[in-house]
Coordinates of all heavy atoms in Angstrom, one line a residue:
T1 N 0.8 -1.2 0.0 CA 0.0 0.0 0.0 C 0.8 1.3 0.0 O 0.4 2.3 -0.5 CB -0.9 0.0 1.2 OG1 -0.2 -0.1 2.4 CG2 -1.9 -1.1 1.2
Y2 N 2.1 1.2 0.5 CA 2.9 2.4 0.6 C 3.7 2.7 -0.7 O 4.2 3.7 -0.8 CB 3.9 2.2 1.8 CG 4.9 1.1 1.6 CD1 6.1 1.3 1.0 CD2 4.6 -0.1 2.2 CE1 7.0 0.2 0.8 CE2 5.5 -1.2 2.1 CZ 6.7 -1.0 1.4 OH 7.5 -2.1 1.3
R3 N 3.6 1.7 -1.6 CA 4.3 2.0 -2.9 C 3.2 2.5 -3.9 O 2.4 1.7 -4.4 CB 5.0 0.7 -3.5 CG 6.2 0.3 -2.7 CD 7.3 1.4 -2.5 NE 7.7 1.9 -3.8 CZ 8.8 1.4 -4.5 NH1 9.5 0.3 -4.0 NH2 9.2 1.9 -5.6
T4 N 3.2 3.8 -4.1 CA 2.3 4.4 -5.1 C 3.0 4.9 -6.4 O 2.3 5.4 -7.2 CB 1.5 5.6 -4.5 OG1 2.5 6.6 -4.1 CG2 0.8 5.1 -3.2
D5 N 4.3 4.6 -6.5 CA 5.1 5.1 -7.6 C 5.5 4.1 -8.6 O 6.1 4.4 -9.6 CB 6.4 5.8 -7.0 CG 7.2 4.8 -6.2 OD1 6.6 3.8 -5.7 OD2 8.4 5.1 -6.0
V6 N 5.0 2.8 -8.4 CA 5.4 1.7 -9.3 C 4.1 0.9 -9.6 O 3.2 0.8 -8.8 CB 6.5 0.8 -8.7 CG1 7.8 1.6 -8.6 CG2 6.0 0.2 -7.4
P7 N 4.0 0.3 -10.8 CA 2.9 -0.6 -11.1 C 3.0 -1.8 -10.2 O 4.0 -2.3 -9.8 CB 3.1 -1.0 -12.6 CG 4.1 0.0 -13.1 CD 4.9 0.4 -11.9
Q8 N 1.8 -2.4 -9.8 CA 1.7 -3.6 -9.1 C 0.6 -4.5 -9.6 O -0.4 -3.9 -10.1 CB 1.5 -3.3 -7.6 CG 2.6 -2.6 -6.9 CD 2.4 -2.5 -5.4 OE1 2.4 -3.5 -4.7 NE2 2.2 -1.3 -4.9
E9 N 0.7 -5.8 -9.4 CA -0.3 -6.7 -9.9 C -0.5 -7.8 -8.8 O 0.4 -8.1 -8.1 CB 0.1 -7.4 -11.2 CG 0.2 -6.5 -12.4 CD 0.6 -7.2 -13.6 OE1 0.6 -8.4 -13.6 OE2 1.0 -6.5 -14.6
G10 N -1.7 -8.2 -8.7 CA -2.0 -9.3 -7.7 C -3.4 -9.9 -7.9 O -4.2 -9.4 -8.7
R11 N -3.6 -11.0 -7.2 CA -4.9 -11.7 -7.1 C -5.7 -11.2 -5.9 O -5.1 -10.8 -4.9 CB -4.7 -13.2 -7.0 CG -4.3 -13.9 -8.3 CD -4.4 -15.4 -8.0 NE -4.2 -16.2 -9.2 CZ -3.0 -16.7 -9.5 NH1 -2.0 -16.4 -8.7 NH2 -2.8 -17.4 -10.6
L12 N -7.0 -11.2 -6.0 CA -7.9 -10.8 -4.9 C -7.9 -12.0 -3.9 O -8.0 -13.1 -4.2 CB -9.3 -10.6 -5.4 CG -10.2 -10.0 -4.3 CD1 -9.9 -8.6 -4.0 CD2 -11.6 -10.1 -4.7
H13 N -7.7 -11.6 -2.6 CA -7.8 -12.5 -1.5 C -8.8 -12.0 -0.5 O -9.2 -10.9 -0.5 CB -6.4 -12.6 -0.8 CG -5.3 -13.1 -1.6 ND1 -5.0 -14.5 -1.8 CD2 -4.4 -12.5 -2.4 CE1 -4.0 -14.6 -2.6 NE2 -3.6 -13.4 -3.0
G14 N -9.3 -12.9 0.3 CA -10.2 -12.5 1.3 C -11.7 -12.9 1.0 O -12.0 -13.6 0.1
T15 N -12.6 -12.4 1.9 CA -14.0 -12.8 1.8 C -14.7 -12.2 0.7 O -15.8 -12.6 0.3 CB -14.7 -12.4 3.1 OG1 -14.6 -11.0 3.3 CG2 -14.1 -13.2 4.3
L16 N -14.2 -11.1 0.0 CA -14.9 -10.5 -1.1 C -15.0 -11.4 -2.3 O -15.9 -11.3 -3.1 CB -14.3 -9.2 -1.5 CG -14.6 -8.0 -0.5 CD1 -14.0 -6.7 -1.1 CD2 -16.0 -7.9 -0.2
N17 N -14.1 -12.3 -2.4 CA -14.1 -13.2 -3.5 C -14.5 -14.6 -3.1 O -13.8 -15.6 -3.0 CB -12.7 -13.3 -4.2 CG -12.8 -14.0 -5.6 OD1 -13.8 -14.1 -6.2 ND2 -11.7 -14.5 -6.0
E18 N -15.8 -14.7 -2.7 CA -16.3 -16.0 -2.1 C -16.5 -17.0 -3.2 O -16.4 -18.2 -2.9 CB -17.6 -15.7 -1.5 CG -17.5 -14.8 -0.2 CD -18.9 -14.5 0.4 OE1 -19.9 -14.9 -0.3 OE2 -18.9 -13.9 1.5
S19 N -16.7 -16.6 -4.5 CA -16.8 -17.6 -5.6 C -15.4 -18.0 -6.0 O -14.4 -17.3 -5.7 CB -17.5 -17.0 -6.8 OG -16.6 -16.1 -7.5
P20 N -15.2 -19.2 -6.7 CA -13.9 -19.6 -7.1 C -13.4 -18.8 -8.4 O -12.4 -19.1 -8.9 CB -14.1 -21.1 -7.4 CG -15.6 -21.2 -7.8 CD -16.3 -20.1 -7.0
D21 N -14.2 -17.9 -8.9 CA -13.8 -17.2 -10.1 C -12.6 -16.3 -9.8 O -12.4 -15.7 -8.7 CB -15.0 -16.3 -10.6 CG -16.2 -17.1 -10.9 OD1 -16.1 -18.3 -11.0 OD2 -17.3 -16.5 -10.9
E22 N -11.7 -16.2 -10.8 CA -10.5 -15.4 -10.7 C -10.7 -13.9 -10.8 O -11.5 -13.4 -11.6 CB -9.5 -15.8 -11.8 CG -8.2 -15.2 -11.8 CD -7.3 -15.7 -10.7 OE1 -7.6 -16.7 -10.0 OE2 -6.2 -15.2 -10.6
I23 N -10.1 -13.1 -9.9 CA -10.2 -11.7 -9.9 C -8.8 -11.2 -9.8 O -8.1 -11.5 -8.8 CB -11.0 -11.1 -8.8 CG1 -12.5 -11.6 -8.9 CG2 -11.0 -9.6 -8.8 CD1 -13.4 -11.1 -7.8
R24 N -8.3 -10.4 -10.7 CA -7.0 -9.8 -10.7 C -7.0 -8.3 -10.6 O -8.0 -7.7 -11.1 CB -6.2 -10.2 -11.9 CG -5.9 -11.7 -12.0 CD -4.9 -12.0 -13.1 NE -4.6 -13.4 -13.1 CZ -3.6 -14.0 -12.4 NH1 -2.9 -13.2 -11.6 NH2 -3.4 -15.3 -12.5
I25 N -6.0 -7.7 -9.9 CA -6.0 -6.3 -9.7 C -4.6 -5.8 -10.2 O -3.6 -6.3 -9.9 CB -6.2 -6.0 -8.2 CG1 -7.6 -6.3 -7.8 CG2 -6.0 -4.5 -7.9 CD1 -7.9 -6.2 -6.3
S26 N -4.7 -4.7 -10.9 CA -3.5 -4.0 -11.4 C -3.5 -2.6 -11.1 O -4.6 -1.9 -11.3 CB -3.4 -4.2 -13.0 OG -2.4 -3.4 -13.5
T27 N -2.5 -2.0 -10.6 CA -2.4 -0.6 -10.3 C -1.3 0.1 -11.1 O -0.3 -0.6 -11.4 CB -2.2 -0.3 -8.8 OG1 -0.9 -0.8 -8.4 CG2 -3.2 -1.0 -7.9
F28 N -1.4 1.3 -11.4 CA -0.5 2.0 -12.2 C -0.5 3.5 -11.9 O -1.5 4.1 -11.8 CB -0.8 1.9 -13.7 CG 0.3 2.1 -14.7 CD1 1.1 1.1 -15.0 CD2 0.6 3.4 -15.1 CE1 2.2 1.3 -15.9 CE2 1.7 3.6 -16.0 CZ 2.5 2.5 -16.4
P29 N 0.7 4.1 -11.6 CA 0.8 5.5 -11.3 C 0.4 6.4 -12.4 O 0.9 6.2 -13.6 CB 2.2 5.7 -10.8 CG 3.0 4.6 -11.5 CD 2.1 3.5 -11.6
T30 N -0.4 7.4 -12.2 CA -0.7 8.4 -13.2 C -0.6 9.8 -12.7 O -0.2 10.0 -11.5 CB -2.2 8.3 -13.7 OG1 -3.1 8.7 -12.7 CG2 -2.5 6.8 -14.1
L31 N -0.9 10.8 -13.5 CA -0.7 12.2 -13.1 C -1.4 12.6 -11.8 O -0.9 13.3 -10.9 CB -1.1 13.2 -14.2 CG -1.0 14.7 -14.0 CD1 0.4 15.1 -13.7 CD2 -1.6 15.4 -15.2
F32 N -2.7 12.1 -11.7 CA -3.5 12.5 -10.5 C -3.6 11.4 -9.5 O -4.5 11.4 -8.7 CB -4.9 12.9 -11.1 CG -4.9 14.0 -12.0 CD1 -5.1 13.9 -13.3 CD2 -4.6 15.3 -11.5 CE1 -5.1 15.0 -14.2 CE2 -4.6 16.4 -12.3 CZ -4.8 16.3 -13.7
G33 N -2.7 10.4 -9.5 CA -2.8 9.3 -8.5 C -2.8 8.0 -9.2 O -2.6 7.8 -10.4
E34 N -3.0 6.9 -8.4 CA -2.9 5.6 -9.0 C -4.2 5.2 -9.7 O -5.3 5.3 -9.1 CB -2.6 4.6 -7.9 CG -1.2 4.6 -7.4 CD -1.0 3.5 -6.4 OE1 -1.4 3.7 -5.2 OE2 -0.3 2.5 -6.7
K35 N -4.1 4.6 -10.9 CA -5.2 4.0 -11.6 C -5.3 2.6 -11.2 O -4.2 1.9 -11.1 CB -5.0 4.2 -13.1 CG -6.1 3.4 -13.9 CD -5.7 3.5 -15.4 CE -6.7 2.7 -16.2 NZ -6.3 2.7 -17.6
A36 N -6.4 2.0 -11.0 CA -6.6 0.6 -10.7 C -7.5 0.0 -11.8 O -8.6 0.6 -12.1 CB -7.2 0.4 -9.3
V37 N -7.2 -1.2 -12.2 CA -8.0 -2.0 -13.1 C -8.2 -3.4 -12.5 O -7.3 -4.0 -12.2 CB -7.4 -2.1 -14.5 CG1 -8.3 -3.0 -15.4 CG2 -7.3 -0.8 -15.2
V38 N -9.5 -3.7 -12.4 CA -9.9 -5.0 -11.8 C -10.3 -5.9 -12.9 O -11.3 -5.5 -13.7 CB -11.0 -4.9 -10.7 CG1 -11.3 -6.3 -10.1 CG2 -10.5 -3.9 -9.6
R39 N -9.7 -7.0 -13.2 CA -10.1 -8.0 -14.2 C -11.0 -9.1 -13.6 O -10.5 -9.8 -12.7 CB -8.9 -8.6 -14.9 CG -9.1 -9.8 -15.8 CD -10.0 -9.5 -17.0 NE -9.5 -8.5 -17.9 CZ -8.7 -8.7 -18.9 NH1 -8.3 -9.9 -19.1 NH2 -8.3 -7.7 -19.7
L40 N -12.2 -9.3 -14.1 CA -13.1 -10.3 -13.6 C -13.2 -11.4 -14.6 O -13.8 -11.1 -15.7 CB -14.5 -9.7 -13.3 CG -14.5 -8.5 -12.4 CD1 -15.9 -7.7 -12.5 CD2 -14.3 -8.9 -11.0
F41 N -12.6 -12.5 -14.4 CA -12.6 -13.6 -15.4 C -14.0 -14.3 -15.4 O -14.7 -14.3 -14.4 CB -11.5 -14.6 -15.1 CG -10.1 -14.0 -15.3 CD1 -9.4 -13.4 -14.3 CD2 -9.6 -14.1 -16.6 CE1 -8.1 -12.9 -14.6 CE2 -8.3 -13.6 -16.9 CZ -7.6 -13.0 -15.9
A42 N -14.3 -14.9 -16.5 CA -15.5 -15.6 -16.6 C -15.7 -16.7 -15.6 O -14.7 -17.3 -15.1 CB -15.6 -16.3 -18.0
G43 N -16.9 -17.0 -15.2 CA -17.1 -18.0 -14.2 C -16.6 -19.3 -14.5 O -16.4 -19.7 -15.7

């Protein structure tokens, strides 16, 4: 969370992803802060 100056990628963990479907998160630094893209794979 403290690195806002570099891109990061990861899988979703925790109770929000109760289904076995894959969820990936990618962050990227931009002019006005970090952009985040969440990829929701097909069931």
Side-chain angles (χ1 to χ4, degrees):
T1 57
Y2 61 87
R3 292 303 304 268
T4 61
D5 55 341
V6 294
Q8 296 188 64
E9 296 179 12
R11 283 189 175 95
L12 187 74
H13 298 270
T15 58
L16 283 188
N17 192 20
E18 294 175 353
S19 77
D21 301 342
E22 180 77 4
I23 298 179
R24 291 189 179 276
I25 294 172
S26 169
T27 63
F28 201 90
T30 71
L31 177 62
F32 297 109
E34 285 185 286
K35 173 186 176 183
V37 175
V38 181
R39 168 62 61 90
L40 305 166
F41 289 94

